[in-house]
Amino acid sequence: MLFVAEPFLGPEEQSAVVSVLESGWLTLGSRVREFEQAFGRRHGVEAAVAVDSCTAALHLALAALGVGPGDEVLVPSLTFVATVNAILYVGARPVFVDIEALDSPLVALADAEAKRTSRTRAVMLMHFAGHLAEAEPWQRFAARHGLLLVEDAAHAVGVDGVGRYGDAAAFSFYGNKNMTTGEGGMVLMRQPDLLERARRMRGHGMTRSVLQRLAARSPHYDVDMLGFNYRMDEIRAAIGLVQLGRLDAMNARRAELVALYHQRLRPLEEEGDLRIPRPRSGVSAHHIMPVLLPRHADRDAVGLAMQEAGIQTTIHYPPVHTLSFYRSREPELRLPLTEEFHRRELTLPLHPAMTDADVDRVVESLGDALAASRERAA
Ligand SMILES: *Cc1c(COP(=O)(O)O)cnc(C)c1O
């Protein structure tokens, strides 16, 4: 089976894990520190806070920024549910915004402008598929209305500019992301004092960690805020350091595969009303390979036919506003472009271990499945 995503791991990750086990220090130690510093440097900032998921990173970012009850946060619905859940965790209200266009599935500035109210406190951007949002228009929008700008950067690790759009950014190292630690995440924040606040919230709000108490030769600590346990352990940090070293090569291979997909899919684009989203910013981490099937194609039948040919496909995403929990909060809400995008979207396999021949096989299988779908319709 050719999978949609697959972690790219080697013997270096194995020996990194073994050396942590041999060291006897398993959590929040020197490797976590080193990973934070290396990850921050890689994204052009001084410091970062490692956590155990992107969901935790999003929660800490919003909490450290002081977003809370009475605030509204503009957010895409075409995202993973965790982006929106984090807004509810801090007691704020998510306000769903439609996408720009079918071939540009990022949150639309015009719709954000239309849905802004006097209670809007923040905008959450999500770099869908790794396609970076256009920074300048969003920075102007945020500055004009005094809004916080937060990136859900789960799809866009390692690309130039990501993590520095606004006030905070959250990254994911989940098993299917561009680099992985199994589970894991990272917070970047523009203001050093707020990043330190997030760091404290990560560990129960304690004023001193175990290492700091050792260094200070004092067992005492205080708790002066509501904290959480979102710590990263040394095992994941050690894997993360190796993966970070591979990131450029892995992202470069993704870019090659996407270029090959574009080339091979061109006939289907020209004849068959197949559409491929492309980044308006021109920059992408190529996290996933989404295509929009022709309007009348039976998407689920196409996915099933491809699975029978040994190729996994998936759908990004069921729009969050259509999931029962969110639908019950806002039954009338419609986002026409987001909904059409979801109805036609199919995600093809994309990961750095794929060969050029794998791409050919996927495109051939997709072409066959679409032809079969057309015949059934006729
Ligand atoms: C994967 C993902 C998350 C959640 O990441 P976890 O590390 O699993 O918490 C959040 N947002 C987006 C867009 C994602 O793709």
Side-chain angles (χ1 to χ4, degrees), residues 232-296:
M232 175 174 272
D233 58 75
E234 292 282 287
I235 300 170
R236 291 176 208 183
I239 298 171
L241 278 164
V242 178
Q243 288 271 298
L244 192 60
R246 293 186 195 284
L247 183 61
D248 285 338
M250 293 193 293
N251 279 357
R253 180 60 188 153
R254 287 175 178 276
E256 281 174 9
L257 291 163
V258 167
L260 190 60
Y261 262 125
H262 284 181
Q263 188 189 330
R264 296 289 197 270
L265 287 168
R266 195 162 303 136
L268 289 174
E269 264 186 297
E270 281 164 7
E271 298 156 18
D273 189 29
L274 182 104
R275 297 172 78 164
I276 305 176
R278 289 179 169 82
R280 283 188 181 170
S281 65
V283 181
S284 181
H286 305 293
H287 172 55
I288 53 172
M289 181 64 214
V291 296
L292 290 199
L293 299 189
R295 196 157 295 128
H296 300 295

Side-chain angles (χ1 to χ4, degrees), residues 7-84:
F8 192 89
L9 301 163
E12 295 83 0
E13 282 86 350
Q14 288 189 23
S15 51
V17 169
V18 170
S19 72
V20 172
L21 297 178
E22 286 170 352
S23 78
W25 191 287
L26 292 186
T27 193
L28 218 55
S30 60
R31 285 174 186 83
V32 171
R33 259 289 154 180
E34 201 187 324
F35 183 35
E36 290 174 340
Q37 283 165 359
F39 191 89
R41 266 200 310 278
R42 183 63 188 70
H43 293 87
V45 301
E46 302 261 306
V49 172
V51 290
D52 57 4
S53 71
C54 179
T55 308
L58 289 163
H59 183 189
L60 286 188
L62 293 176
L65 287 167
V67 176
D71 293 335
E72 293 177 355
V73 179
L74 298 166
V75 68
S77 176
L78 190 70
T79 184
F80 185 56
V81 66
T83 319
V84 189

Side-chain angles (χ1 to χ4, degrees), residues 10-301:
E12 295 83 0
E13 282 86 350
Q14 288 189 23
S15 51
V17 169
V18 170
S19 72
V20 172
L21 297 178
E22 286 170 352
S23 78
W25 191 287
L26 292 186
T27 193
L28 218 55
S30 60
R31 285 174 186 83
V32 171
R33 259 289 154 180
E34 201 187 324
F35 183 35
E36 290 174 340
Q37 283 165 359
F39 191 89
R41 266 200 310 278
R42 183 63 188 70
H43 293 87
V45 301
E46 302 261 306
V49 172
V51 290
D52 57 4
S53 71
C54 179
T55 308
L58 289 163
H59 183 189
L60 286 188
L62 293 176
L65 287 167
V67 176
D71 293 335
E72 293 177 355
V73 179
L74 298 166
V75 68
S77 176
L78 190 70
T79 184
F80 185 56
V81 66
T83 319
V84 189
N85 285 349
I87 297 166
L88 291 185
Y89 294 166
V90 296
R93 189 168 98 81
V95 175
F96 290 110
V97 180
D98 211 346
I99 57 174
E100 292 176 329
L102 290 179
D103 50 15
S104 179
L106 271 59
V107 64
L109 188 57
D111 198 36
E113 188 78 74
K115 286 173 176 163
R116 189 185 61 82
T117 73
S118 58
R119 290 175 299 280
T120 308
R121 185 79 199 290
V123 190
M124 187 91 88
L125 298 178
M126 199 284 264
H127 305 295
F128 184 92
H131 299 179
L132 283 205
E134 292 178 293
E136 255 198 24
W138 285 107
Q139 286 162 348
R140 273 203 307 274
F141 175 70
R144 191 160 64 240
H145 301 298
L147 306 180
L148 299 164
L149 195 54
V150 178
E151 291 166 77
D152 178 339
H155 290 197
V157 64
V159 202
D160 199 26
V162 75
R164 298 198 307 269
Y165 273 58
D167 299 278
F171 293 84
S172 175
F173 311 127
Y174 181 62
N176 65 6
K177 297 304 199 298
N178 286 29
M179 61 172 275
T180 186
T181 61
E183 301 276 358
M186 193 74 78
V187 188
L188 307 187
M189 295 190 78
R190 177 162 55 195
Q191 278 182 248
D193 56 324
L194 295 185
L195 186 74
E196 284 317 301
R197 195 172 163 74
R199 192 184 302 286
R200 294 256 310 282
M201 281 181 175
R202 167 185 69 179
H204 306 285
M206 290 161 70
T207 51
R208 279 171 169 170
S209 70
V210 176
L211 275 183
Q212 287 165 336
R213 293 200 299 275
L214 271 173
R217 297 162 175 276
S218 161
H220 303 292
Y221 65 84
D222 190 16
V223 168
D224 59 358
M225 63 174 79
L226 178 63
F228 311 92
N229 176 5
Y230 287 157
R231 289 183 305 244
M232 175 174 272
D233 58 75
E234 292 282 287
I235 300 170
R236 291 176 208 183
I239 298 171
L241 278 164
V242 178
Q243 288 271 298
L244 192 60
R246 293 186 195 284
L247 183 61
D248 285 338
M250 293 193 293
N251 279 357
R253 180 60 188 153
R254 287 175 178 276
E256 281 174 9
L257 291 163
V258 167
L260 190 60
Y261 262 125
H262 284 181
Q263 188 189 330
R264 296 289 197 270
L265 287 168
R266 195 162 303 136
L268 289 174
E269 264 186 297
E270 281 164 7
E271 298 156 18
D273 189 29
L274 182 104
R275 297 172 78 164
I276 305 176
R278 289 179 169 82
R280 283 188 181 170
S281 65
V283 181
S284 181
H286 305 293
H287 172 55
I288 53 172
M289 181 64 214
V291 296
L292 290 199
L293 299 189
R295 196 157 295 128
H296 300 295
D298 179 345
R299 190 255 319 268
D300 290 349

